[in-house]
Each structure stands twice: as C-alpha cells, then as structure tokens.
C-alpha cells in the first residue's frame, strides 16, 4: 500500500469509528500529511474503503516516517509518533466530555460503553498488543485464579518504586507522573509515553475533583483508573473509603479499589492518589464469607472473614455511610495493632508505620460490599523485600509488588516469562541441563520439582502443567502476603485482632 492510500485509509478508519466526522475528512488528511511532511497528495480512491487493521495502517505510516528520517526506528520513537498521528483524527477533550455526559444522562452503562470503545479506537489502548498477552485460569482451593504474562509493560522492582516516592521535588518532570491530568495531549519523550491520543473524563467524588480514564494495559475488562486532579501521595483513609463508595454509586456496574499507601504492599505509583476499577468479577469477589463477625453497634452491617489466601474482612449493607464508619474503625485499629506472637507490628520502635489496607468496593444489587484486605510491609533478614510479600523462592516468577489487581486474584507476571517458560519447556522435555542457560537457571529448582511431581510429562501435557504450576506459585505468593496465615495459629491470631474490635 502506498503512503497516500495509508493516509486515506487511516482517515476513513477515524470516520468509521466515530473519532471524526465525514466533514472532517480533508482536514484530518491534511493534518496527517503535515506530520508526515508530505507536500503532494495523490488521490487513491481505488485503494481505500477496505476494512484494513489499524495496526497495519500505522505500521505503514511509521515505516515511511522512519525511512524518511522523520523519526528514529526504535519502538519508543514509533510509539511517540503514532500517538501524534492518531491525534490528527480525534476530537478535543471538551467534545469527548460532552458526549460522555450525554450518554451518562441515558445511563452510566451507556457512558462507559462509549468511553471504553473510544479509548480502544484511538489506539490509546493498543488492543493488538494487549491481545498478545498470555492468559489462563488455574483452579485452586480458592477458585479460578487469573494468570497473565504481560507483554506490554515492563516489570517494576519494589526498591525502584519506593525510590520514586522519595524523589526530591527538583527531580520531578512535566508531567509530574504518568497519572497527572497534564498527560492529556502530551507529546511524550523518550522516558515518558506519548499521550497525544489521550482523553480523560472529569467527575466529582465526594465533592472533590477527580478524573476517569482507562488503563492502556487493560489487565481485565474495562480496566479503568480514577485519579485526583492534584498530584498528592496515596492515602488510604476514611476519605478514600468514602470516595470508593461514591464512585460505585455513580457507576454501579463497576467495582473500584485502592492500592495501599505504603511501599512493598502498594502499587507501582505511590506518589499520586488514584484508584483502579472496571467491569470484571475477580476470584476474590466470588469467594464466600467463611466466618461471620458481629460488630457491636453495627447490626445493620453484615461482616465476616473471607475464604481467601490473604486476610480479608468483608462488610456489606444498604447504608454506605455505616459501612464506611465500620471500615474506619477497622482501619484505625489495624494501623497500630501489634501481636508479637504473630509477628504483626503496626508501628515499630523507630516510629515507622507498617500496617495499612487494600480496600475494594462493589455493588450487590442495591447493597454495597467492601472488602478490607489487611496488609503489612515489615521486612526481615530472611525476607528483605517484605515478610508479607512474595518470598525469595518465588522471585524467579514474580518479584514485583503484590498490588490491588493481584490481591483480587489476577497475577500480572513479567514479559520475560514468555520466552523463559518456552525455553524451560523444551529443556525439560529433552532432558537437558536446567542450569545450563542463564535465562532459565533461576527456574531450575522449580522445574525439578515439577519433573518429580509429573513423571509422565510430554509435549501434549507440559504446557498445561507449567500453566497450572505457575498458578500454584502465585497462589502461594498470595498466601505469603496474608498477614494471618490460614493454619490453626493464624486463624487464632486473626480472631485475636477481631476480638479487639468486638
């Protein structure tokens, strides 16, 4: 396909997907020609009109730009430039907001359906990349655990995440982080992704100004992010709980949750207040209450511990204020709670706080449901990355923080596993040296355990076995993260904490 045909087909793609109108055809074409530094356009009607994949059209234009020296041919520079090309087709933020509000006036579901389809059509969500992620479900005693090997986002080390939080103000660039509202329309740079094709939706949460967008990585269906318009650090407090419950009042078909506000047990961005939500039911949401709790003065709130590898208290009822009141009581107690026999230290002698929570809110018909996951980031000599974190024997598969998404039962594993598991499979089948390759030597002990466990591995069953065993490791990681273990001593320790509240 010649370059003019690619330009025209991209414009037609924009019209077909509602990014621009038929009346914008010439204008959009000329904006693309300007970015591509093309002075002469040759009509090519005979090569347009076909339903050509967006990925192919963008590749044609990016190949041309690289060949002409307009951009370098690196993945980063191509990503920066294709966002600029897509912006040539797109409406201004005010138009997107107006459309969202018009759809919301019909129903919240109509509004999110429109905005999600728009975010995919603009290539802000690179659907053709996300589709390459490896995904499967492993059945465990806690239900079906979702496993993904992420092929579109780099793995982050907990130490690097903690260092980002401590960055001095002089180190902050514009935009201050990847969540700031200043990203909307930002051209990007080599160390910051382009957001030319990004549009965000303003909304009020408990009277405060927040923004709604979708994650470009969509780890699950309609994976959205809500963030404060101000660049302020994460804080899981009563105000955060109120905002979570307010959001599911506004958008009742979505769940929403917050990462913690502490390193190790938090998400990858601690420097900007934000939540994550979407339209998906995780294994934790399906997990039943296994032991009911009666909190004095809260007869109108149903409560209990959840059958889950981590330590979860679930609250449910029709009155969101009462749920928030009880949640505040639990969070306040947990932050300072100490039980030396269970190695729980809310605050250590040096005054450092270690305890926090991961809260997740959802609707059940007219009722509200709030899961409070107890977290603690204390470290030991044996577990320098965190006692209630993935233990060292599992770092060959997962070292990154266990944040909100994984707490709920969806593993986001690093892209390196795509090639490492394939190489490991081949070596295991051939009887080769599991420690002979640097890439898979880290998996050798695990692989030997699998070979002993499954003496009849062959090419037809090994992939399923490896997938299941990855899922079992992730389940063990979640158990590592549980502050109260699910053995007799752990259950008794959990009861001791609950008894301080009742």
């Amino acid at each position: 396909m010649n370059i003019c045909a690619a330009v025209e087909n991209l414009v037609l793609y924009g019209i077909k997907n509602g990014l621009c109108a038929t009346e914008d055809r010439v204008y959009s074409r000329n904006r693309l020609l300007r970015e591509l530094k093309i002075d002469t356009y040759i009509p090519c009607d005979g090569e347009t009109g076909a339903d050509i994949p967006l990925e192919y059209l963008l590749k044609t234009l990016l190949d041309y730009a690289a060949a002409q020296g307009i951009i370098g041919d690196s993945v980063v520079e191509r990503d920066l430039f294709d966002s600029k090309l897509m912006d040539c087709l797109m409406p201004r933020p005010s138009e997107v907001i107006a459309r969202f509000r018009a759809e919301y006036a019909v129903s919240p579901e109509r509004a999110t359906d429109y905005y999600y389809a728009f975010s995919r059509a603009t290539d802000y969500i690179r659907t053709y990349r996300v589709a390459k992620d490896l995904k499967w479900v492993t059945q465990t005693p806690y239900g079906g655990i979702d496993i993904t090997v992420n092929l579109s986002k780099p793995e982050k080390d907990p130490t690097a995440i903690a260092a980002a939080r401590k960055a001095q103000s002089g180190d902050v660039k514009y935009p201050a982080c990847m969540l700031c509202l200043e990203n909307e329309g930002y051209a990007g740079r080599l160390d910051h992704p382009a957001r030319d094709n990004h549009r965000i939706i303003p909304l009020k949460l408990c009277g405060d100004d927040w923004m709604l967008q979708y994650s470009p990585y969509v780890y699950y269906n309609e994976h959205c992010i809500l963030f404060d318009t101000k660049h302020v650090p994460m804080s899981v407090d009563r105000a955060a709980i109120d905002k979570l419950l307010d959001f599911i009042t506004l958008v009742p078909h979505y769940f929403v949750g917050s990462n913690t506000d502490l390193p190790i047990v938090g998400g990858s961005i601690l420097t900007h207040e934000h939540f994550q939500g979407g339209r998906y039911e995780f294994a934790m949401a399906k997990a039943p209450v296994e032991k009911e709790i009666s909190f004095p003065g809260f007869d109108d709130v149903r409560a209990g511990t959840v059958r889950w590898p981590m330590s979860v208290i679930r609250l449910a009822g029709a009155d969101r204020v009462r749920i928030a009141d009880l949640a505040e009581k639990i969070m306040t107690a947990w932050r300072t709670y100490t039980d030396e026999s269970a190695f729980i230290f809310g605050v250590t002698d040096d005054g450092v706080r270690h305890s926090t929570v991961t809260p997740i809110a959802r609707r059940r018909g007219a009722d509200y449901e709030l899961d409070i996951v107890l977290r603690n980031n204390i470290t030991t000599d044996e577990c320098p990355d965190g006692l209630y974190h993935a233990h060292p024997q599992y770092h060959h598969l997962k070292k990154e923080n266990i944040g909100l998404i994984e707490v709920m039962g969806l593993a986001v594993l690093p892209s390196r596993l795509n090639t490492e598991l394939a190489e490991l499979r081949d070596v295991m089948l051939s009887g080769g040296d599991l420690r002979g390759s640097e890439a898979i030597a880290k998996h050798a002990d695990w692989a030997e355990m699998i070979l002993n466990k499954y003496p009849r591995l062959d090419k037809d069953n090994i992939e399923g076995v490896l997938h299941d065993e990855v899922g079992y490791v992730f389940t063990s990681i979640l158990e590592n993260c549980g502050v109260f273990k699910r053995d007799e001593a752990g259950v008794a320790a959990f009861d001791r904490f609950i008894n301080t509240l009742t």
Side-chain angles (χ1 to χ4, degrees), residues 208-471:
D208 292 339
D209 292 324
W210 278 58
M211 292 287 183
L212 169 68
Q213 67 177 53
Y214 287 102
S215 166
Y217 307 109
V218 286
Y219 293 135
Y220 50 86
N221 187 46
E222 298 183 39
H223 177 184
C224 70
I225 298 172
L226 298 134
F227 60 92
D228 198 321
T229 57
K230 303 181 295 297
H231 183 70
V232 294
M234 294 288 293
S235 179
V236 182
D237 53 14
R238 171 60 186 264
I241 298 298
D242 287 336
K243 288 181 174 69
L244 294 176
L245 296 171
D246 198 28
F247 178 73
I248 59 172
T249 302
L250 296 171
V251 188
H253 58 290
Y254 275 16
F255 82 89
V256 67
S258 174
N259 271 305
T260 76
D261 48 2
L262 294 179
I264 298 176
V265 293
S268 59
I269 299 178
L270 295 172
T271 55
H272 196 128
E273 182 86 8
H274 70 284
F275 307 143
Q276 295 183 75
R279 197 172 192 177
Y280 189 73
E281 188 172 39
F282 290 86
M284 192 178 81
K286 300 174 187 177
V289 168
E290 61 181 356
K291 184 176 182 179
E292 294 184 356
I293 307 170
S294 178
F295 288 96
F298 290 94
D299 295 341
D300 53 338
V301 179
R302 301 185 302 279
T305 57
V306 178
R307 191 175 189 278
W308 193 243
M310 298 181 68
S311 308
V312 185
I313 298 175
R314 178 170 292 165
L315 309 179
D319 188 336
R320 59 185 257 197
V321 174
R322 295 287 290 158
I323 290 174
D325 287 344
L326 182 50
E328 183 179 24
K329 176 184 174 75
I330 294 169
M331 291 190 302
T332 300
W334 175 244
R335 285 194 188 99
T336 57
Y337 181 75
T338 290
D339 182 346
E340 294 187 17
S341 65
F343 211 85
I344 301 294
F345 298 90
V347 181
T348 43
D349 292 340
D350 55 3
V352 175
R353 179 167 69 94
H354 295 285
S355 290
T356 183
V357 303
T358 300
I360 303 108
R362 63 186 74 89
R363 297 295 293 272
R364 300 291 191 190
D367 281 358
Y368 294 83
E369 188 172 274
L370 180 70
D371 285 349
I372 301 172
V373 188
L374 307 179
R375 311 296 303 275
N376 185 283
N377 75 348
I378 200 162
T379 61
T380 65
D381 291 340
E382 296 77 17
C383 297
D385 293 312
L387 178 61
Y388 304 109
H389 174 67
H391 286 185
Q393 66 265 36
Y394 302 131
H395 286 181
H396 65 103
L397 290 180
K398 175 72 176 179
K399 186 178 180 180
E400 193 178 17
N401 289 357
I402 302 302
L404 168 68
I405 295 171
E406 286 158 322
V407 164
M408 295 185 291
L410 190 156
V412 181
L413 302 179
S415 58
R416 60 181 170 80
L417 292 179
N418 184 37
T419 54
E420 290 176 7
L421 290 178
E423 183 179 348
L424 187 67
R425 175 198 62 210
D426 293 343
V427 174
M428 290 172 71
L429 285 176
S430 67
D433 182 2
L434 293 168
R435 292 174 171 78
S437 164
E438 182 179 353
I440 66 169
K442 66 176 79 71
H443 302 297
D445 290 345
W446 178 62
E448 288 171 350
M449 178 276 294
I450 294 172
L451 287 168
N452 290 328
K453 184 177 178 180
Y454 303 90
R456 297 188 179 183
L457 280 180
D458 57 40
K459 62 181 179 61
D460 295 322
N461 63 18
I462 190 168
E463 183 168 296
V465 166
L466 285 174
H467 282 183
D468 282 346
E469 290 296 330
V470 168

Side-chain angles (χ1 to χ4, degrees), residues 166-173 176:
K166 296 179 180 178
Q168 299 299 312
S169 58
D171 298 327
V172 175
K173 298 178 181 179

Side-chain angles (χ1 to χ4, degrees), residues 32-88:
L32 288 167
L33 294 176
R34 179 183 64 195
E35 297 298 340
L36 292 162
K37 303 188 186 305
I38 297 173
D39 296 325
T40 303
Y41 174 76
I42 302 173
C44 47
D45 291 338
E47 297 182 71
T48 61
D51 192 11
I52 301 171
L54 177 62
E55 181 181 14
Y56 176 79
L57 293 175
L58 289 175
K59 181 180 184 303
T60 301
L61 298 175
L62 292 170
D63 288 347
Y64 173 86
Q68 298 297 313
I70 299 170
I71 61 171
D73 202 21
S74 68
V75 173
V76 172
E77 290 189 69
R78 290 170 74 95
D79 282 357
L80 292 172
F81 194 66
D82 69 6
S83 299
K84 187 184 298 291
L85 296 178
M86 290 304 299
D87 187 41
C88 295

